[in-house]
Amino acid sequence: MIEVKNVKKYYKVAKREKGLSASLKHLFSRKYDLKRAVDDISFSIKEGEIVGFIGPNGAGKSTTIKMLSGILYPDEGEVVIDGFIPYKQRKTFVKNIGVVFGQKSQLNWDLPLIESFELLKYIYKIPQQKYDKNLQKFTELLDMQGFLNQPVRQLSLGQRMRGDIVAALLHSPKIVFFDEPTMGLDVVAKEKIREFVKYMNEMENTTMIFTTHDMQDIEKVCTRLIIIDEGRKIYDGSVEQIKNQYAALKSIEILLENGKKEKYTFDVNKTPMNEVMERLFSKFDIRDISICEPEIDGIIRDIYEGGIRVS
């Protein structure tokens, strides 16, 4: 569905020297440095995959997503999505994709939510039967019946986000790009959106790409993870694989007979689990014990900071 081969993208950054004479000279003769925002990235995504595409700020992920959606063109390499070259065949291509920006709404601020949907029906030329079917299904799944007729400006952030997701999916796109879809939402709203996304993937086989800083989005929704840093891909594999391969630290929490709780962290590469358990049971009177798996956000943080080397 998505094929990215050796893609590079450069930006010109104005080069300025200090001093008044240098500033005056800069007005008439400008010099630039080339910054490589995306550096020889390659990957392929199959139809129906949900992929987390993450990296620290400035890593190049937004630039990559803009090339995938046809907003930008690659300076080198090629991008082919569902047989289209996005930036060359943009008008036809955009009919097959949906985009959800957590920081930017595609809804009309002054219109009731339902009228924004009606407007999108005409823009995408969605057949009436298909529109009615999708709208009814999405409204029920996202519990939107109570605010369809409210102006968008009166909606809460969680309500508006649900509206934006429906707006991106009304025309039944084959591919959906999510950019921070749960940012700023409460726990209940986040969970509702995650459940809806998983449902749409399972029922419609929609291909989805997430850029997010919320690792719960990755763990609960995505099956695959691509990590980029400084414009380069540093990891491409399953979420479980990265947890198993790079998470050496585990925690054991014990409840003692006196009601006190103790927590111990250890490195499984240095001390086997059975040895840790033997030590604990020989030292304490234990009523209950639980083993905590490492959270993926901690692993990703270590990768960003260079504490874990990935291949």
Side-chain angles (χ1 to χ4, degrees), residues 124-140:
Y124 283 103
K125 298 179 181 178
I126 306 170
Q128 188 66 46
Q129 187 176 359
K130 180 180 180 180
Y131 171 81
D132 291 340
K133 180 182 176 182
N134 282 347
L135 181 60
Q136 181 181 357
K137 179 170 63 177
F138 298 162
T139 300
E140 291 174 0

Side-chain angles (χ1 to χ4, degrees), residues 109-266:
W109 202 243
D110 296 309
L111 293 179
L113 183 59
I114 188 65
E115 291 188 24
S116 281
F117 294 158
E118 290 283 345
L119 183 60
L120 289 167
K121 181 185 74 171
Y122 288 105
I123 290 173
Y124 283 103
K125 298 179 181 178
I126 306 170
Q128 188 66 46
Q129 187 176 359
K130 180 180 180 180
Y131 171 81
D132 291 340
K133 180 182 176 182
N134 282 347
L135 181 60
Q136 181 181 357
K137 179 170 63 177
F138 298 162
T139 300
E140 291 174 0
L141 289 170
L142 288 169
D143 193 21
M144 295 170 55
Q145 296 90 337
F147 56 87
L148 277 178
N149 293 303
Q150 284 184 231
V152 171
R153 65 168 59 253
Q154 295 179 5
L155 301 181
S156 69
L157 179 59
Q159 291 172 333
R160 182 183 63 75
M161 199 67 248
R162 279 180 273 172
D164 270 310
I165 290 173
V166 170
L169 291 169
L170 271 174
H171 59 294
S172 300
K174 294 182 179 180
I175 303 164
V176 183
F177 299 100
F178 292 93
D179 183 22
E180 301 288 359
T182 64
M183 180 178 283
L185 303 186
D186 60 43
V187 174
V188 175
K190 286 183 178 183
E191 200 57 37
K192 189 176 290 290
I193 287 173
R194 289 167 185 154
E195 289 174 0
F196 176 76
V197 167
K198 287 192 290 184
Y199 172 85
M200 290 302 299
N201 172 258
E202 291 168 3
M203 298 303 293
E204 305 293 336
N205 203 35
T206 308
T207 306
M208 299 177 175
I209 298 179
F210 269 77
T211 58
T212 179
H213 285 90
D214 190 331
M215 292 301 107
Q216 290 293 311
D217 288 345
I218 300 298
E219 283 197 274
K220 294 190 175 184
V221 175
C222 301
T223 55
R224 178 178 162 199
L225 186 60
I226 296 175
I227 306 173
I228 68 169
D229 192 15
E230 296 182 349
R232 294 188 176 188
K233 185 179 73 174
I234 62 172
Y235 178 83
D236 185 353
S238 71
V239 175
E240 283 302 311
Q241 180 185 347
I242 198 170
K243 290 176 70 175
N244 295 335
Q245 187 173 351
Y246 304 115
L249 292 180
K250 292 186 183 293
S251 297
I252 290 183
E253 190 174 271
I254 58 175
L255 176 64
L256 304 180
E257 289 292 348
N258 62 10
K260 188 179 178 182
K261 287 184 178 181
E262 300 276 357
K263 189 173 183 178
Y264 297 89
T265 302
F266 64 100

